[in-house]
Structures are given as C-alpha cells and as structure tokens.
Amino acid sequence: MATLKKLGILLSGRGSNFEAIADSIKAGRLQAEIAIVISNRADAPGLESAKRRGLNAVLIASRGRVREEHDADVIAALHHAQVDLICLAGYMRLLSPHFIQAFPNRIVNIHPSLLPAFPGMDAQKQALEYGVKITGCTVHFVDEHLDNGPIILQKTVPILDGDDVNSLSARILEQEHKAYSEAIGLILSGEVEIVDRRVLRKLSRSEGR
Ligand code: GRF
C-alpha cells in the first residue's frame, strides 16, 4: 500500500474545517493522515478537538512574539512532522515570506468568498453589504499576498433575501467543509498542476491538445 501523504493543519479558533478534514479521512473519502495540528492560541477549540481525536496537537503561542521567530518554530515543527501539505484552517496569522518559501506550493487556505471578491476579514459581511447575489468559498494556494494565490476549487452559495451574516456564514461553511477535503484530495493525487495562475487538471490538458 502506498504511504499516506501527511497533512499539517494550522488553526487559531473553532476548527470546524479541521474537523471536516479529519472526518473525511476517517470516512475514507480522503487518503491522507494528519501528522500535526498546530494552534497559535491556547484557547482554540480546534486544539482541544485535535487532542480529543488523539492527534499530535501542539500549541505554539504567537502572542507577543516577533512574526519571523514564531514562524521559525512552526516551520521546524512542520518539518519535524514531515508534512507534505500544510492546510490553513482559520489560522489568523499572516505568514512571513520565509514561511511561504520554505514550502513552495505546499500551503493551502480556505476563504469564505469567491476570490478575488471580498478578501480579508468578514468576507461574508462584505458580500452581504455589497449586495452580490452569489458568493461562496475558495480553496487556494498561499503566496506572499493576502488571499491571493492560485485557486484550486470554488463552491458557490446564493445569497437569499432573508439572509443575515449568521445564516449566510452557516451555508458557506457547509460548502467549505466539502470544498477543503476535495481540494486536498486533488492536490495529493497529483492530478493538478499550476500553469501561470491557473490550477489545471493534468488529464484534461493533455486531452485538449
Ligand atoms: C472559515 O470561515 C474559513 O473560511 C476562514 O476562517 C473560518 C474558520 O472556521 N478562513 P473554522 O475555525 O474552520 O471553523
């Protein structure tokens, strides 16, 4: 049997995307293993959840620390765990360029809007206030700029007349939980490649020639 690819999960809070990834693995929908879960916050519910699941769950506190020094500790832990792919799952820290260069095209993030619309904080509120009729979520590679790297997968969510931030966020979150595992599966299977900014299926590219 082929060895399973190793995931490193970085989170700061609730951790529902982490839990959805862990559930996908448990259910056999995603062929991977979670080698390490790192939280930068001691009070992150996601950290407790990872411990309850018996995973290698580590606190590397960031408060009051210089970004580069904190990142260096996180990088060392990820190297030690020999991760193949790093998944940001509600990780509320900007990564230093050094971090991104340490794992080229090996860091992914999920964002609750259809990027490039509504990057940054409160993406669901931004979409609601702007008045768009369709929003959703995006799984993308991480580069030096905020919510900017090549897009792996997106799922759409309609905005209903009666929506408020809570109801909209909940419907987007349902799609996030599906999208993240799907995107990770695509990357780990080696079926996709990055061409300029586009993430393309290798198969369909050769068929299209
Ligand atoms: C999600 O909405 C995700 O898209 C954003 O942060 C939130 C994290 O939620 N990056 P959770 O901690 O995974 O429940």
Side-chain angles (χ1 to χ4, degrees):
M1 212 175 91
T3 50
L4 289 171
K5 298 279 189 184
K6 293 181 198 295
L7 303 180
I9 310 270
L10 268 51
L11 53 78
S12 304
R14 182 176 56 183
S16 73
N17 276 288
F18 147 65
E19 290 181 320
I21 294 166
D23 289 346
S24 293
I25 292 173
K26 205 169 170 194
R29 291 189 297 271
L30 178 60
Q31 308 304 315
E33 67 175 298
I34 295 175
I36 189 167
V37 178
I38 300 173
S39 172
N40 67 314
R41 294 187 54 132
D43 59 356
L47 185 62
E48 283 313 307
S49 167
K51 285 182 188 163
R52 275 198 306 277
R53 287 165 186 257
L55 294 168
N56 177 21
V58 182
L59 168 67
I60 303 180
S62 58
R63 180 169 287 180
R65 297 193 64 193
V66 174
R67 184 180 316 283
E68 284 68 21
E69 288 174 12
H70 176 257
D71 276 3
D73 287 351
V74 177
I75 292 167
L78 291 166
H79 277 317
H80 188 253
Q82 299 187 311
V83 301
D84 297 293
L85 185 69
I86 297 156
C87 305
L88 307 185
Y91 188 60
M92 304 303 284
R93 297 272 295 171
L94 281 177
L95 304 186
S96 59
H98 177 61
F99 195 143
I100 289 156
Q101 285 150 21
F103 301 97
N105 295 332
R106 282 281 167 271
I107 310 173
V108 292
N109 181 45
I110 188 154
H111 182 78
S113 76
L114 295 177
L115 291 171
F118 314 123
M121 297 293 288
D122 300 323
Q124 304 94 330
K125 185 164 176 271
Q126 291 185 55
L128 208 53
E129 287 180 355
Y130 193 93
V132 293
K133 299 295 184 191
I134 297 173
T135 184
C137 62
T138 302
V139 185
H140 64 93
F141 286 104
V142 172
D143 67 11
E144 290 77 13
H145 306 287
L146 181 68
D147 300 328
N148 181 72
I151 291 169
I152 302 151
L153 199 147
Q154 293 183 301
K155 288 196 184 285
T156 57
V157 174
I159 297 187
L160 309 177
D161 287 355
D163 265 334
D164 59 17
V165 174
N166 288 336
S167 63
L168 178 60
S169 300
R171 287 208 319 288
I172 294 174
L173 197 62
E174 273 179 41
Q175 297 306 312
E176 291 186 41
H177 293 165
K178 294 177 189 159
Y180 219 165
S181 292
E182 276 179 40
I184 293 167
L186 274 175
I187 298 163
L188 295 186
S189 70
E191 284 170 39
V192 293
E193 60 187 334
I194 305 173
V195 181
D196 302 325
R197 269 200 60 93
R198 299 180 71 199
V199 178
L200 304 175
R201 294 225 182 209
K202 287 179 184 168
L203 195 63
S204 56
R205 267 185 30 101
S206 57
E207 277 172 353
R209 279 185 196 128

